[in-house]
Amino acid sequence: MKDFLEKAKQQLLENLPFVIYKKPNNNSVVGYFQNCNTVFEAHNYSEKGFVFSTFDGTKSILIPEKNSVRITSIFLFDSIENTIESSVITDNKSDKNNFETLVNLGIDSIKKGQFSKVVLSRKEAIKVTDFDAIATFVRVAQNYPTAFCYCWFHPKIGLWIGASPEQLLKIDGTVLTTVSLAGTQKFIENETVVWGDKEKNEQQIVTNSIIENLKNEVDEIIVSNPYTAKAGNLVHIKTDIKGNLKPGFDLSNLLSKLHPTPAVCGFPRKEAQNFIKNNEGYDRRFYSGFFGEINLDENTPTLFHVNLRCMEIENNNAHLYIGCGITQNSIPELEWIETVNKAQTMKKIVI
């Protein structure tokens, strides 16, 4: 793995695009190292390579297979790294007040019937010095083996690192799998997880929307019962959804129907997305977009994850992006606490 990481470091020094990543529950790492600094885009998702797409779906940056060197290596786990914990808690009254005001505005809009759910987020900056992106990726992968971990760089776009717990879709032959993931609690060892009506309703909205959007794309839909899934220091409600794609399916059309799901945007989508754009106060860019492998070969499924638990490195700052689902039963202070808990995923890596 040493040569693999050295290749990534050299690519960064030469200011050339690359992505290195480790898929969930996998003991190998993959790297795409682009041989020029051109910005390529995936236009119809028939291309081959690694896609990095924005929340609003207007831009999907492609690191193309044909313009890159693809390298794989075995990832070496260090059990000591997995014990890292963080007691760093955000206690910025201004940030707290601003976010709770935003949540209240979302709740008021829900009560007025504008939408039934909206996912609201905030951005938090942490000063970093002598930041080592490659070493940070290794720490992320060590700490979150069940997540899709990545480090993505393009000199004309930016540097992003993340550990996503949420699969957007996987296509293996004609079989599509996706998940509905919503509701959040902090994981406490040996304590039974009890979900309230707010979290159950929030997650059910996501499930119902995905099923509705897939009904004309697949011949049969199989839906699991909701269950509790652990992701790092958090637990969520999760439902597995599977279906057989109809002949001649169009991946671009499928993505437009699925993304952004109510888990990262809200429902109905258009109304929730307009509220986010007009009220969050910043551009999400690639946060809550999606990323992953596309059309590599017949033995490698297309796999996309939602870009959550991520950070963007810019001008000696690590910008953390954190959000939560809002319904009419939301309590603003508890939603703030949820974002604080979610922030620990990346914060404990860089502090």
Side-chain angles (χ1 to χ4, degrees), residues 193-207:
V193 178
V194 178
W195 296 104
D197 289 340
K198 183 265 178 184
E199 290 82 8
K200 291 178 181 178
N201 292 337
E202 177 190 346
Q203 198 263 349
Q204 192 61 49
I205 289 172
V206 180
T207 302

Side-chain angles (χ1 to χ4, degrees), residues 229-246:
K230 183 176 180 290
N233 64 326
L234 305 173
V235 289
H236 308 282
I237 308 175
K238 184 176 182 179
T239 298
D240 299 316
I241 301 169
K242 180 182 289 189
N244 292 310
L245 288 161
K246 293 182 177 180

Side-chain angles (χ1 to χ4, degrees), residues 4-22:
F4 177 92
L5 298 177
E6 287 298 325
K7 173 64 176 175
K9 290 178 182 179
Q10 187 61 35
Q11 194 83 355
L12 195 58
L13 285 172
E14 294 178 4
N15 219 29
L16 288 172
F18 73 92
V19 61
I20 53 176
Y21 57 95
K22 191 185 79 65

Side-chain angles (χ1 to χ4, degrees), residues 40-253:
F40 296 98
E41 292 189 41
H43 296 289
N44 58 14
Y45 297 96
S46 63
E47 302 90 349
K48 291 185 177 183
F50 192 96
V51 170
F52 202 61
S53 184
T54 55
F55 163 67
D56 61 11
T58 59
K59 185 172 289 188
S60 289
I61 307 301
L62 176 73
I63 296 184
E65 183 183 59
K66 65 180 181 181
N67 297 93
S68 306
V69 174
R70 184 176 188 265
I71 300 175
T72 62
S73 181
I74 299 299
F75 187 79
L76 302 177
F77 284 92
D78 183 344
S79 59
I80 297 177
E81 286 282 357
N82 288 322
T83 65
I84 293 176
E85 294 293 342
S86 172
S87 59
V88 179
I89 300 296
T90 300
D91 190 23
N92 186 308
K93 289 185 178 180
S94 176
D95 287 351
K96 183 175 186 292
N97 290 336
N98 290 339
F99 188 72
E100 290 183 7
T101 297
L102 176 62
V103 171
N104 272 316
L105 187 59
I107 294 170
D108 289 342
S109 297
I110 291 171
K111 290 180 178 178
K112 291 175 182 176
Q114 294 181 19
F115 36 77
S116 59
K117 175 185 176 180
V118 65
V119 179
L120 299 176
S121 69
R122 63 183 179 89
K123 183 178 177 181
E124 181 179 341
I126 298 173
K127 283 289 183 183
V128 291
T129 55
D130 300 321
F131 184 79
D132 188 330
I134 309 307
T136 300
F137 163 75
V138 172
R139 289 199 298 273
V140 168
Q142 295 280 10
N143 279 271
Y144 304 113
T146 63
F148 195 135
C149 302
Y150 75 89
C151 174
W152 185 95
F153 171 72
H154 196 295
K156 298 178 181 179
I157 306 293
L159 172 62
W160 290 72
I161 298 173
S164 172
E166 184 172 339
Q167 178 182 294
L168 177 63
L169 66 82
K170 177 182 178 182
I171 298 176
D172 191 354
T174 61
V175 178
L176 176 146
T177 56
T178 185
V179 301
S180 165
L181 192 75
T184 302
Q185 290 186 34
K186 190 171 183 179
F187 173 74
I188 302 175
E189 193 77 43
N190 299 321
E191 186 169 302
T192 302
V193 178
V194 178
W195 296 104
D197 289 340
K198 183 265 178 184
E199 290 82 8
K200 291 178 181 178
N201 292 337
E202 177 190 346
Q203 198 263 349
Q204 192 61 49
I205 289 172
V206 180
T207 302
N208 292 345
S209 175
I210 291 174
I211 293 171
E212 177 66 22
N213 289 332
L214 286 178
K215 69 180 184 181
N216 294 324
E217 306 298 321
V218 298
D219 289 322
E220 181 183 5
I221 298 178
I222 300 171
V223 183
S224 75
N225 290 323
Y227 61 95
T228 297
K230 183 176 180 290
N233 64 326
L234 305 173
V235 289
H236 308 282
I237 308 175
K238 184 176 182 179
T239 298
D240 299 316
I241 301 169
K242 180 182 289 189
N244 292 310
L245 288 161
K246 293 182 177 180
F249 74 91
D250 183 279
L251 180 55
S252 179
N253 178 60

Side-chain angles (χ1 to χ4, degrees), residues 89-90 99 117 119-122 124 144 163 165-166 181-186 198 202 231 233-236 263-264 287 308-310 320-326 335-348:
I89 300 296
T90 300
F99 188 72
K117 175 185 176 180
V119 179
L120 299 176
S121 69
R122 63 183 179 89
E124 181 179 341
Y144 304 113
E166 184 172 339
L181 192 75
T184 302
Q185 290 186 34
K186 190 171 183 179
K198 183 265 178 184
E202 177 190 346
N233 64 326
L234 305 173
V235 289
H236 308 282
V264 296
Y287 165 63
L308 304 174
R309 313 297 190 271
C310 61
L320 276 59
Y321 296 83
I322 326 107
C324 52
I326 308 303
E335 301 298 345
W336 164 258
I337 292 171
E338 180 175 322
T339 69
V340 171
N341 289 334
K342 286 179 175 177
Q344 300 310 301
T345 300
M346 288 293 106
K347 191 173 287 188
K348 77 175 189 176

